[in-house]
Amino acid sequence: MSKKLLVLTLLTALIAAFSLAPAPSLAQEPIKLTYSCFFPPTHIQSKLAAAWGKEVEKRTKGKVKIEYYPGQTLTKAKQVYDGTVQGMSDIGFCLFGYNRGRFPLMEVVDLPLGYPNGKVATLVANEVYKKFKPKELDDVQVMYLHAHGPGLLHTKDKPVKKMEDLKGLKIRSHGTTAKVVEALGGTPVAMPMPELYQALQRGVVDGGMYPVETNKGWRMAEVVKYCTENYSNAYTTTFYVVMNKAKWNSLPKDAQAAIIQINEEWIPKHGAAWDESDKVGREFMLKKGRTFIKLSPEEAARWKKATDPVLDFYVKETSPKGVPAKEAVEFTKKKLAELSK
C-alpha cells in the first residue's frame, strides 16, 4: 500500500470514528421550583423562606433553583395548599387554620393549651407530625412545620380586663381560635391575616387574636390600642412548608437529601425567629403608646377554665373522622409540658 493510500485510509477511519461518537452533552439546565408564600416580603418569616431557597440552590450546587413569590403574588393565602397540590406552585408556605376541617389531626396543635413561646410551639408541631404522620398530608411532601408564639387578644378601642368585657366584640379569628373567642364570650369573625388591618380601620371587627409579633410584622399596632395577655390559654398557629409530591419525586436523590438536611436546620430557625419578632412586636406597640393588660391570677384561671371545653369539642368533632383525637390531645399536652421545661 502506497504512503498516500495509507494516509487516506487512516483519515477515512478517523472521520468515521468521530461521526459515530456521541455529541458532547450540554450543561444540564437547573431544575426551577416556584415557591408561594402568603407573608409579605418584609416579614421575618418570609425572609427565612427566601433564605431557605438560597440555601437549597447553594447545597445542590445550582441543580435546583427556587423562584420565590411572597405576599400572595402567586396564590392567595387560602389557596396555597391546594395550589401546591395542583401544581400552581411547586412549594407552598401558609397555615392549616385557613382551611379548617381539612387538616383535622394537625388542628390539635392550635388548641388553647397555654403555649409559652414560638420555640416550644414549633417543636411541638413537628413532634405531633412525626408521631402521627397524618393521612391528611399524604397528597404533598412535607418539608417542615413551625408555629408562632402565644396567640393573645388584641382590641382596637376597648380594653379587655375580664371575660365580660369581650361581650359584643367582633374578634377576628381563624380555625380553632374561633371556638376560643366564642368560649370567652366574643363574636368570632373568620378572616385571613392580610385582610385584618383594613377590617380594623373600617370597624368591621373590634379586635383580633394573634401573636404579639403581628403588631410589627403586619403593622397591627397602628390600628389596635390594647393587648390582653391571656397566657393561661394562649393558642398557637401551625404553619406548613410543603412541596408538590410529583415534583419532589422527580428531584435527584442527592438534591432530596440536601433539602431534607436544610429542612431540619430551618425548624429551630423559624422558632427562634417567632420569639425574636414577638420582642420586636412588643417594642413597636410600646413605642406607639399602646397598652398591655395583665390578667390577675384569678382571671387567668377563669379564661383557661372557659376554653378547656374547646379541647373536648375538638375530640368530639374530630374522632368520627377516624382521627385518634383523644390520643393526639394527650400527646400534644405531654410534649408541651416536657418541652416547656
Side-chain angles (χ1 to χ4, degrees):
M1 181 183 291
S2 67
K3 187 176 181 181
K4 186 175 180 181
L5 183 59
L6 178 61
V7 169
L8 184 61
T9 303
L10 288 172
L11 186 60
T12 303
L14 283 170
I15 292 171
F18 275 114
S19 65
L20 292 173
S25 61
L26 298 174
Q28 186 179 2
E29 286 292 316
I31 300 166
K32 294 181 180 179
L33 302 178
T34 55
Y35 188 160
S36 176
C37 176
F38 85 114
F39 276 113
T42 53
H43 196 287
I44 182 60
Q45 296 297 327
S46 182
K47 291 178 180 178
L48 265 176
W52 179 90
K54 295 293 183 185
E55 194 67 14
V56 168
E57 183 176 342
K58 175 184 173 184
R59 294 206 209 171
T60 60
K61 296 180 172 57
K63 282 184 182 179
V64 180
K65 290 194 175 184
I66 309 297
E67 294 179 354
Y68 184 56
Y69 296 89
Q72 304 186 96
T73 51
L74 191 57
T75 47
K76 296 296 181 184
K78 290 184 177 181
Q79 300 171 328
V80 170
Y81 189 88
D82 284 332
T84 305
V85 173
Q86 296 163 11
M88 294 169 68
S89 70
D90 298 314
I91 304 163
F93 174 174
C94 199
L95 56 137
F96 295 124
Y98 283 174
N99 303 96
R100 189 173 186 277
R102 174 78 177 274
F103 308 100
L105 194 140
M106 290 311 305
E107 284 178 11
V108 71
V109 182
D110 296 1
L111 293 171
L113 299 173
Y115 287 92
N117 54 54
K119 177 183 177 182
V120 168
T122 291
L123 292 174
V124 169
N126 284 280
E127 287 291 330
V128 169
Y129 174 72
K130 289 174 184 175
K131 165 72 175 176
F132 293 98
K133 294 286 185 180
K135 293 181 180 179
E136 62 212 45
L137 293 169
D138 280 353
D139 51 2
V140 294
Q141 181 69 31
V142 175
M143 299 288 95
Y144 58 91
L145 309 175
H146 56 99
H148 65 56
L152 305 176
L153 174 67
H154 293 78
T155 49
K156 181 181 178 181
D157 296 312
K158 184 180 179 180
V160 175
K161 300 178 181 179
K162 56 184 184 298
M163 282 195 329
E164 288 76 11
D165 295 335
L166 259 172
K167 187 175 181 180
L169 294 187
K170 293 173 288 184
I171 305 298
R172 173 266 174 185
S173 54
H174 65 273
T176 305
T177 57
K179 291 294 179 185
V180 174
V181 170
E182 194 173 33
L184 293 172
T187 302
V189 179
M191 183 182 297
M193 187 58 71
E195 297 175 16
L196 179 57
Y197 188 98
Q198 286 192 343
L200 284 162
Q201 271 188 323
R202 296 172 180 173
V204 175
V205 293
D206 303 300
M209 281 277 197
Y210 55 76
V212 177
E213 68 83 20
T214 306
N215 293 302
K216 172 70 174 186
W218 293 88
R219 299 171 29 239
M220 293 304 162
E222 296 175 2
V223 287
V224 298
K225 295 178 183 176
Y226 305 99
C227 171
T228 301
E229 298 181 298
N230 53 303
Y231 290 107
S232 62
N233 67 339
Y235 74 96
T236 189
T237 295
T238 311
F239 296 80
Y240 57 78
V241 180
V242 297
M243 187 182 294
N244 177 278
K245 204 153 194 175
K247 185 63 70 171
W248 170 258
N249 290 334
S250 73
L251 295 179
K253 294 298 181 184
D254 58 338
Q256 289 182 347
I259 291 171
I260 289 170
Q261 180 60 44
I262 296 166
N263 292 342
E264 287 299 314
E265 295 170 18
W266 248 245
I267 291 171
K269 286 179 184 288
H270 280 279
W274 281 119
D275 290 338
E276 181 57 34
S277 56
D278 268 351
K279 292 177 185 176
V280 173
R282 177 176 287 271
E283 291 168 3
F284 188 67
M285 268 200 85
L286 292 172
K287 284 180 181 178
K288 290 284 184 184
R290 307 318 192 192
T291 302
F292 285 88
I293 300 167
K294 186 174 182 179
L295 297 178
S296 68
E298 296 77 18
E299 189 64 22
R302 285 185 70 208
W303 286 51
K304 184 180 185 304
K305 185 178 179 180
T307 55
D308 277 346
V310 175
L311 279 63
D312 298 328
F313 177 82
Y314 167 79
V315 172
K316 183 179 179 181
E317 181 185 50
T318 310
S319 295
K321 299 177 181 179
V323 173
K326 189 172 182 180
E327 182 187 355
V329 169
E330 293 307 313
F331 178 83
T332 305
K333 289 167 69 175
K334 180 182 176 184
K335 281 298 171 183
L336 175 57
E338 290 175 0
L339 294 166
S340 295
K341 294 176 183 178

